[in-house]
Amino acid sequence: MCRPDKSVVLKPITFANAREGWQIWEEKLNRLDALPNQILIGMEATSRYGENLYHELEQRGYVLRLLHPGQTHHFHQQQGLRAKTDRLDAMTIARVLLSGEARIGYVPSEQIATYRELVRLHTQSLVIPQQAIKMRSRL
């Protein structure tokens, strides 16, 4: 994360991916003494797991950049880094943002994300009975 005008990078923090965890996140951001639209937050795309946080931060007015994991991995390798830790990942995301080379990813709207989840659950509900029939025939 950084303020675009000052390029301040914060230490990574760990929090639950739920509203309670987001409150911890926002408390840390409030310490920056900057408006949400002055704070740039980089996130690595993590399928549907990060979408709720993305939408929550978006609603609160933060400037967001969603990065494809392949892009951050490639940038990580270019820096000669071999280890993979949450701290190094956070620093790599910050470096990608500061480099100006970030290719911004797509985040579906909440409605599209909900439809996708419904389709995934529906597909699962069709597959599970088929797997049960196969297991029963094997027994």
Side-chain angles (χ1 to χ4, degrees):
M1 295 166 297
C2 66
R3 289 179 56 182
D5 56 328
K6 293 190 181 177
S7 299
V8 176
V9 178
L10 299 179
K11 293 190 304 186
I13 60 172
T14 303
F15 57 92
N17 191 3
R19 284 200 194 278
E20 299 80 29
W22 301 341
Q23 289 171 350
I24 293 168
W25 173 258
E26 185 136 54
E27 288 169 15
K28 298 277 187 183
L29 292 174
N30 287 337
R31 293 182 191 165
L32 292 176
D33 194 30
L35 297 173
N37 66 358
Q38 296 174 313
I39 299 173
L40 173 63
I41 299 174
M43 297 174 65
E44 192 172 62
T46 56
S47 183
R48 64 184 187 272
Y49 301 108
E51 289 175 3
N52 289 336
L53 176 61
Y54 185 96
H55 290 298
E56 183 72 23
L57 292 170
E58 183 179 52
Q59 287 175 359
R60 293 179 185 201
Y62 292 98
V63 181
L64 303 169
R65 299 293 181 264
L66 185 73
L67 305 175
H68 188 279
Q71 180 183 10
T72 54
H73 177 73
H74 179 70
F75 199 87
H76 185 82
Q77 285 182 324
Q78 284 181 327
Q79 301 296 310
L81 302 170
R82 294 204 168 114
K84 184 156 173 49
T85 66
D86 288 345
R87 181 170 178 73
L88 285 175
D89 287 349
M91 295 305 291
T92 299
I93 289 169
R95 286 185 182 116
V96 170
L97 292 174
L98 292 171
S99 76
E101 297 177 26
R103 292 185 314 273
I104 308 310
Y106 165 75
V107 177
S109 69
E110 287 187 62
Q111 185 176 23
I112 291 173
T114 301
Y115 287 148
R116 285 182 178 175
E117 184 67 10
L118 287 171
V119 168
R120 186 185 68 76
L121 291 170
H122 175 72
T123 303
Q124 255 184 349
S125 72
L126 296 174
V127 169
I128 291 171
Q130 291 171 357
Q131 289 175 346
I133 291 168
K134 286 181 184 178
M135 287 187 69
R136 187 174 34 188
S137 66
R138 286 182 195 158
L139 294 174

